[in-house]
Amino acid sequence: MIDITDVRKSFGPIEVIKGVNLTIRKSEVLCLIGASGSGKSTLLQCINGLEPIQGGRIVVDGTDVHAKGTDLNKLRQKLGIVFQQYNAFPHLTALENVALAPRLVKKIPKAQAMQLAHEHLSFVGLGNRADMRPASLSGGQQQRLAIARALAMQPDYMLFDEVTSALDPELVGEVLDTIRKLKDSGMTLIMVTHDIAFARESADRIAFFDNGLICEVGDARQVVNEPREDRTRQFLQRVLH
């Protein structure tokens, strides 16, 4: 479980998260929606410990992410994160990219790490691309490579930060199909997305961010089809029409 309590985050004098409260349960799929700059992506980075917070607490399976003395490197092994940009090592093959972190961080023997990498590449539909370098892969394939690389650390949670926003429309579906497979496997997913239709069909809950606050959170279909808050309704009318 991830418990977020009264979290505040500022960049200099600008407060971008203004007291957010949220609980994410194991095996839940939660989508964060809202306008650009509303605080969604920043919250993901705070959950992962990539950004410090100025107030509140984020607790992952009993560990306070931002407490003094927390081993963030160890904690991040539980929290896979995939960004908009793929960030693969260009000189390594897909297989070597996926096997690298298990070898270096978890000290898994090379043969075992390579086998693990093969399994995760196959899971995301890239089993036949293992020996290719990132530049030879399409954008959608590179994004699936990034997902496989995160999965290779065998995390308990996966955080996705607008992973389809940089892709051509025809490539979006293959990445979303991979995320659906993760959902079906029981993985806990927290996703920042602008794809409202995908969020409605695939998430358990949706949280709508507005100006650094969660304006509404609830069942995915309810939030999209029958939003309770005027601000949620205004946002959805703008992005869906």
Side-chain angles (χ1 to χ4, degrees):
M1 182 182 292
I2 298 176
D3 277 317
I4 299 169
T5 306
D6 196 27
V7 166
R8 297 177 178 274
K9 167 65 185 174
S10 299
F11 292 105
I14 301 172
E15 191 174 38
V16 295
I17 298 178
K18 303 175 181 179
V20 162
N21 294 280
L22 193 61
T23 297
I24 300 100
R25 300 178 292 271
K26 280 286 180 70
S27 299
E28 180 177 25
V29 178
L30 175 72
C31 280
L32 311 181
I33 65 170
S36 296
S38 58
K40 312 178 302 295
S41 296
T42 299
L43 181 64
L44 282 194
Q45 295 181 48
C46 292
I47 292 172
N48 194 259
L50 294 170
E51 286 288 348
I53 60 176
Q54 278 69 55
R57 298 177 75 216
I58 300 175
V59 178
V60 177
D61 292 344
T63 298
D64 188 334
V65 175
H66 296 275
K68 187 176 181 180
T70 294
D71 186 342
L72 284 177
N73 288 328
K74 183 177 180 180
L75 182 65
R76 286 179 187 141
Q77 293 181 34
K78 298 169 68 84
L79 294 159
I81 188 165
V82 181
F83 298 99
Q84 296 178 45
Q85 301 303 318
Y86 325 125
N87 300 319
F89 292 103
H91 63 291
L92 301 179
T93 66
L95 185 68
E96 291 166 338
N97 264 284
V98 176
L100 186 63
R103 290 180 61 194
L104 295 182
V105 178
K106 288 195 166 184
K107 308 301 181 185
I108 293 176
K110 180 178 180 179
Q112 184 180 344
M114 290 297 192
Q115 177 61 35
L116 186 68
H118 261 299
E119 292 172 3
H120 288 298
L121 284 173
S122 295
F123 178 83
V124 302
L126 293 176
N128 60 348
R129 300 287 193 274
D131 295 327
M132 297 178 69
R133 286 184 165 78
S136 300
L137 301 174
S138 70
Q141 290 169 338
Q142 290 189 58
Q143 193 60 280
R144 285 185 283 151
L145 170 59
I147 294 172
R149 193 173 52 189
L151 289 174
M153 291 299 290
Q154 300 176 299
D156 295 321
Y157 305 90
M158 284 289 288
L159 316 178
F160 292 100
D161 185 11
E162 297 183 17
V163 293
T164 61
S165 63
L167 299 178
D168 293 333
E170 64 267 25
L171 300 177
V172 169
E174 61 191 46
V175 175
L176 296 183
D177 285 344
T178 298
I179 293 174
R180 289 187 184 97
K181 285 182 68 177
L182 284 174
K183 175 187 176 180
D184 291 342
S185 75
M187 175 75 74
T188 308
L189 309 177
I190 308 171
M191 298 182 289
V192 172
T193 184
H194 289 295
D195 190 331
I196 304 301
F198 174 77
R200 177 178 55 197
E201 298 305 317
S202 300
D204 296 307
R205 289 190 300 155
I206 289 176
F208 168 59
F209 270 69
D210 184 50
N211 194 29
L213 292 167
I214 294 180
C215 182
E216 181 169 352
V217 60
D219 174 82
R221 290 177 180 270
Q222 172 265 305
V223 171
V224 176
N225 296 338
E226 299 178 358
R228 297 189 178 98
E229 302 295 330
D230 288 342
R231 184 66 191 91
T232 314
R233 191 175 300 109
Q234 292 166 7
F235 170 79
L236 290 170
Q237 287 174 345
R238 189 171 71 249
V239 299
L240 293 175
H241 299 289

